[in-house]
């Protein structure tokens, strides 16, 4: 960390231009690898081909899958599955191109129209394919098992077929499923788009400058308290001004989910997410309980230490991610971030670094933070016939380097799992965070091992602890907030004030007495995209962090062969349950003590910080 480029403390008057110059040449992604443009004949022909093939598929196979299960060859179930998978890959490619184009600049009306039109067309096409999974689940299990036994093509898809059975109790009849699919365009999908476009248009005034969300949030990591306070006040002000639309979106989506869950017969408000994640409710409940029980040992304890380091009795909520005085005050150029992550990956396994390097060399990354671009970061797998893409909003902070390591971990995972094909490459969310959090840990440990200076080591450890608290404690608090909102919504529409009270209740519990929560913070639930796009997604982060903490402990004590087992886990995609994937490492997420082991690593880092402070 000591060789970071020198950079004066940022002020609100600094221009984006000078900072961008310091960061170096930030890459933008090559969406041409999917399609040259939305206007090309290739894209238009694929749209037409997808519809024609879906209609032909429906005509050929609908009502005939039970008979196909008794046959092999071109008329057998395996042939139908192959054809279905090819269609899924084509549709995924089209949808990925439209989505990534839109997220490149959500403020561009042309992008919004393109994305909306493509979504509508894909919904129309998918309606012709909807019968397939529903009809498969109406075939007697023993007939499908027999097809798997005698048809080599069907046997290839056995994990997908067996996994599909878990959805059987929650399926509706074909007409209702088609209605749910088609109405999604004017319900959940529409309100998701409204959220994205509203958020992209928001501006936050700081010292006369109109800043987008990402740059304003980034100011909460500035060393000067007045800068952080002004950013927090600007965020609170704009959130409050737009409270009405965010309250409407939240109420509508919660009610939409409640209707769907009721029709499908889910007992608990999060059961549909647990099913999608292929994880048992009891496992998630145990995780949430373990984290809540650890609040005093983790976040409460750490924030009390940090308040003392910052010379405060109590920190304001905008000080939570403030850098310590020991933190090097520098912008990290893009090239340095690239080498930091790749060298850490290479140290673990050259194969891992080779895959990650392709994201840089072949322009699979979009890095600049620009107006209209989707905030935050993600890795989009697209489809196995193409390659993943990574979006970050790189501003040169140490946390941005860790975000890059995180998203590249996803990218490596997606490349390796791609060999499973379009139907089986998707990893359940509970394990989807494994490679990303592991990549962060590799990068952190590599940097820590090279840091001899006590003050820098303290700053690095503190930042890692904060990131882990944000990943584990904060995400479980988010999960508890969602549970409260969705439970309360069953009794009627919620006002913004009621949602704010629920938000403050979980934040107060999780942050502890060393964080002062003042006026304005009650509306900060508004900007969290996971609540909108993926209800109850957030516990997957805590699941992944605790899992990786345990996995990394195994790695530290392992003899040769860990890397090979790790790559086998990533390559499995969605073909195996988490219990089967973790067994080679001697780990079991159903064991109540499993979560305590993961949390103890965070506690250990806090112990190390305390010891450094005393030394």
């Amino acid at each position: 960390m000591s060789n970071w480029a020198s950079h004066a403390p940022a002020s609100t008057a600094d221009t984006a231009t000078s900072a961008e110059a310091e960061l170096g040449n930030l890459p933008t992604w090559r969406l041409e690898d999917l399609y040259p443009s939305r206007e090309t004949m290739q894209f238009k022909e694929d749209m037409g081909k997808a519809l024609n093939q879906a209609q032909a598929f429906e005509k050929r196979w609908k009502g005939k899958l039970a008979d196909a299960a008794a046959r092999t060859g071109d008329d057998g179930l395996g042939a139908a599955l192959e054809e279905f998978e090819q269609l899924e890959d084509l549709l995924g490619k089209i949808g990925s191109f439209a989505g990534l184009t839109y997220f490149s600049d959500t403020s561009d009306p042309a992008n919004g129209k393109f994305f909306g039109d493509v979504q509508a067309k894909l919904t129309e096409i998918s309606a012709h394919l909807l019968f397939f999974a529903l009809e498969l689940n109406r075939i007697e299990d023993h007939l499908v098992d027999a097809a798997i036994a005698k048809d080599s093509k069907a046997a290839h898809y056995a994990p997908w077929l067996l996994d599909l059975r878990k959805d059987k109790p929650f399926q509706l009849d074909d007409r209702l499923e088609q209605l749910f699919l088609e109405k999604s365009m004017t319900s959940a999908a529409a309100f998701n788009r409204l959220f994205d476009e509203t958020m992209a248009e928001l501006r936050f005034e700081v010292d006369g400058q109109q800043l987008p969300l990402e740059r304003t949030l980034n100011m909460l990591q500035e060393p000067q308290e007045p800068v952080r306070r002004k950013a927090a006040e600007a965020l609170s002000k704009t959130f409050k001004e737009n409270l009405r639309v965010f309250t409407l979106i939240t109420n509508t989506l919660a009610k939409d989910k409640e209707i769907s869950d009721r029709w499908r017969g889910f007992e608990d408000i999060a059961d549909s997410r647990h099913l999608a994640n292929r994880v048992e409710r009891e496992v998630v409940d145990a995780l949430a309980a373990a984290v809540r029980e650890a609040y005093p040992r983790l976040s409460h304890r750490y924030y009390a230490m940090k308040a003392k380091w910052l010379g405060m009795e109590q920190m304001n909520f905008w000080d939570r991610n403030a850098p310590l005085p020991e933190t090097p005050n520098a912008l990290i150029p893009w090239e340095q971030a690239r080498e930091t992550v790749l060298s850490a990956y290479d140290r673990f396994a050259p194969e891992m670094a080779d895959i990650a390097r392709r994201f840089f060399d072949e322009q699979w990354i979009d890095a600049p933070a620009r107006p209209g671009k989707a905030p935050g970061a993600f890795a989009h797998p697209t489809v196995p016939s193409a390659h993943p893409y990574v979006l970050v909003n790189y501003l040169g902070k140490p946390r941005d380097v860790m975000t890059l390591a995180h998203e590249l971990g996803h990218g490596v995972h997606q490349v390796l799992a791609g060999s499973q094909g379009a139907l089986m490459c998707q990893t359940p969310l509970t394990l989807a965070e494994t490679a990303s959090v592991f990549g962060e840990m590799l990068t952190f440990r590599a940097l820590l091992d090279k840091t001899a200076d006590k003050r820098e080591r303290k700053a690095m450890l503190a930042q890692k602890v904060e990131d882990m608290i944000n990943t584990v404690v904060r995400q479980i608090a988010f999960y508890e907030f969602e549970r409260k909102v969705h439970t309360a919504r069953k009794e009627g529409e919620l006002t913004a004030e009621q949602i704010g009270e629920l938000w403050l209740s979980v934040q107060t519990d999780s942050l502890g007495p060393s964080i002062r929560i003042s006026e304005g913070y009650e509306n900060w639930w508004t900007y969290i995209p996971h609540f909108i796009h993926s209800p109850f997604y957030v516990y997957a982060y805590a699941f992944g962090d605790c899992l990786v903490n345990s996995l990394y402990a195994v790695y530290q004590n392992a003899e040769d062969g860990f890397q090979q087992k790790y790559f086998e886990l990533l390559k499995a995609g969605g073909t195996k349950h988490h219990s089967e994937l973790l067994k080679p490492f001697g780990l079991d997420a159903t064991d109540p003590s499993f979560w305590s082991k993961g949390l103890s690593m965070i506690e250990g880092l806090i112990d190390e910080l305390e010891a450094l402070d005393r030394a």
Side-chain angles (χ1 to χ4, degrees):
M1 290 174 70
S2 57
N3 63 346
W4 288 354
S6 175
H7 178 64
S11 72
T12 56
D14 289 337
T15 64
T17 306
S18 62
E20 288 165 4
E22 243 178 298
L23 295 178
N25 195 14
L26 299 179
T28 55
W29 49 27
R30 275 184 49 84
L31 297 186
E32 297 93 323
D33 292 352
L34 295 171
Y35 293 101
S37 81
R38 69 186 74 168
E39 304 300 335
T40 59
M41 284 304 300
Q42 182 185 348
F43 180 78
K44 294 175 181 177
E45 286 173 358
D46 273 3
M47 285 287 282
K49 181 168 73 173
L51 177 59
N52 291 336
Q53 289 184 353
Q55 290 171 331
F57 182 85
E58 181 181 35
K59 184 177 180 180
R60 180 182 179 188
W61 296 107
K62 188 173 183 179
K64 304 170 187 174
L65 293 181
D67 291 339
R71 295 193 293 266
T72 59
D74 291 343
D75 294 323
L77 186 61
L81 285 159
E82 262 189 351
E83 190 177 340
F84 181 71
E85 182 173 55
Q86 290 166 4
L87 262 167
E88 285 290 297
D89 192 280
L90 178 59
L91 293 173
K93 182 182 177 184
I94 292 168
S96 296
F97 177 69
L100 294 174
T101 299
Y102 174 64
F103 289 124
S104 299
D105 185 359
T106 60
S107 65
D108 184 345
N111 285 350
K113 173 176 167 50
F114 175 61
F115 181 57
D117 288 348
V118 170
Q119 276 194 312
K121 194 67 177 176
L122 291 179
T123 301
E124 176 192 340
I125 295 169
S126 297
H128 295 288
L129 305 176
L130 185 62
F131 79 91
F132 189 65
L134 301 174
E135 189 173 324
L136 280 173
N137 266 345
R138 286 198 295 269
I139 302 173
E140 293 292 332
D141 290 350
H142 70 90
L143 296 177
V144 176
D145 293 339
I148 291 170
K150 66 185 178 185
D151 183 348
S152 60
K153 287 184 178 180
H156 171 73
Y157 296 100
W160 187 80
L161 287 165
L162 298 177
D163 192 60
L164 185 66
R165 288 179 187 171
K166 296 175 182 176
D167 296 325
K168 189 182 292 192
F170 310 101
Q171 280 185 190
L172 305 174
D173 65 62
D174 290 16
R175 293 284 289 171
L176 277 174
E177 289 288 359
Q178 184 171 349
L179 178 63
F180 268 69
L181 174 68
E182 293 186 15
K183 287 287 286 182
S184 69
M185 282 298 300
T186 54
S187 54
F191 280 89
N192 272 258
R193 181 176 165 188
L194 174 62
F195 174 86
D196 289 336
E197 295 187 6
T198 302
M199 195 58 69
E201 290 290 336
L202 293 187
R203 292 296 177 266
F204 306 86
E205 185 175 345
V206 183
D207 286 346
Q209 290 184 297
Q210 297 293 324
L211 302 175
L213 176 66
E214 203 68 37
R215 289 192 176 276
T216 314
L217 288 171
N218 189 60
M219 292 171 68
L220 299 175
Q221 300 176 43
E222 291 295 339
Q224 305 95 332
E225 192 278 339
V227 175
R228 299 194 300 271
R229 176 175 49 79
K230 288 177 182 178
E233 289 170 351
L235 288 161
S236 296
K237 180 176 182 291
T238 302
F239 292 156
K240 184 176 182 179
E241 291 170 349
N242 292 272
L243 204 49
R244 186 175 178 182
V245 68
F246 291 122
T247 302
L248 173 63
I249 292 170
T250 299
N251 271 290
T252 303
L253 289 176
K255 184 62 179 177
D256 184 77
K257 185 179 184 304
E258 186 268 326
I259 293 169
S260 176
D261 286 354
R262 176 159 39 86
W263 276 82
R264 294 186 182 283
F266 288 110
E267 293 179 5
D268 184 78
I269 50 178
D271 275 353
S272 59
R273 174 60 61 195
H274 302 332
L275 177 66
N277 285 348
R278 297 311 192 236
V279 66
E280 299 74 22
R281 187 200 304 170
E282 295 74 21
V283 172
V284 178
D285 288 347
L287 164 64
V291 174
R292 287 196 308 269
E293 192 270 333
Y295 284 171
R297 305 195 310 273
L298 301 179
S299 50
H300 296 189
R301 179 185 172 204
Y302 174 75
Y303 289 136
M305 292 166 58
K306 183 171 183 177
K308 184 184 69 173
W309 295 333
L310 294 178
M312 304 175 179
E313 287 188 17
Q314 197 180 31
M315 291 187 291
N316 291 298
F317 71 83
W318 55 77
D319 299 320
R320 190 171 54 82
N321 289 320
L324 297 187
E326 294 89 345
T327 304
N329 187 26
L331 285 185
I332 305 164
W334 176 255
E335 278 303 310
Q336 189 173 338
R338 176 184 187 275
E339 290 310 311
T340 295
V341 176
L342 290 181
S343 63
Y345 278 23
D346 187 71
R347 184 178 172 186
F348 173 72
E351 179 185 352
M352 191 170 172
D354 289 343
I355 296 171
R357 191 173 289 108
R358 295 186 67 192
F359 283 78
F360 296 96
D361 294 347
E362 300 179 38
Q363 289 181 256
W364 298 355
I365 303 178
D366 194 284
R370 57 181 179 267
K373 180 179 172 180
F378 62 73
H380 193 302
T382 71
V383 288
S385 63
H387 59 75
Y389 285 91
V390 161
L391 179 145
V392 294
N393 281 274
Y394 190 80
L395 295 167
K397 297 287 187 182
R399 275 196 174 88
D400 294 334
V401 180
M402 290 301 161
T403 298
L404 180 63
H406 180 104
E407 299 305 338
L408 284 172
H410 277 307
V412 169
H413 194 172
Q414 291 160 356
V415 168
L416 289 170
S419 62
Q420 298 292 346
L423 293 187
M424 296 184 291
C425 66
Q426 297 295 337
T427 307
L429 290 180
T430 41
L431 290 176
E433 295 297 330
T434 303
S436 55
V437 178
F438 198 83
E440 276 190 81
M441 183 66 80
L442 290 173
T443 304
F444 166 71
R445 290 292 179 182
L447 287 171
L448 192 66
D449 289 348
K450 292 190 289 187
T451 304
D453 181 83
K454 175 187 165 184
R455 287 171 58 82
E456 287 192 13
R457 188 176 182 86
K458 178 183 175 183
M460 284 192 67
L461 280 168
Q463 185 169 298
K464 183 58 179 173
V465 167
E466 288 182 21
D467 288 345
M468 294 172 102
I469 287 173
N470 285 338
T471 303
V472 177
V473 172
R474 184 167 168 81
Q475 301 304 322
I476 290 301
F478 283 177
Y479 176 63
E480 297 297 333
F481 168 70
E482 285 190 278
R483 291 196 64 86
K484 290 188 175 189
V485 168
H486 284 259
T487 300
R489 181 64 179 90
K490 289 184 177 183
E491 304 303 318
E493 191 159 316
L494 301 174
T495 65
E497 290 73 20
Q498 288 174 313
I499 300 174
E501 287 170 6
L502 297 177
W503 171 257
L504 290 182
S505 70
V506 298
Q507 292 299 304
T508 301
D509 287 347
S510 62
L511 296 175
S514 295
I515 302 286
R516 181 188 298 110
I517 296 178
S518 51
E519 185 178 355
Y521 192 62
E522 69 274 8
N523 298 325
W524 282 46
W525 54 270
T526 54
Y527 82 95
I528 310 297
H530 298 91
F531 300 157
I532 306 303
H533 297 309
S534 308
F536 302 107
Y537 175 102
V538 287
Y539 72 72
Y541 288 114
F543 193 110
D545 197 278
C546 288
L547 188 158
V548 166
N549 288 343
S550 298
L551 196 63
Y552 198 84
V554 174
Y555 165 55
Q556 287 179 309
N557 299 311
E559 298 178 2
D560 292 342
F562 178 91
Q563 282 85 342
Q564 184 58 40
K565 287 192 287 186
Y566 179 71
F567 280 120
E568 290 303 313
L569 182 153
L570 301 187
K571 289 175 182 176
T575 62
K576 296 180 181 179
H577 189 260
H578 63 78
S579 58
E580 190 177 355
L581 289 169
L582 295 178
K583 191 173 182 179
F585 303 96
L587 301 175
D588 180 5
T590 63
D591 182 349
S593 67
F594 174 80
W595 304 115
S596 299
K597 291 175 186 175
L599 295 171
S600 68
M601 178 175 281
I602 308 175
E603 202 169 350
L605 291 177
I606 297 174
D607 289 342
E608 189 175 345
L609 267 172
E610 202 166 45
L612 274 174
D613 202 37
R614 289 195 302 263

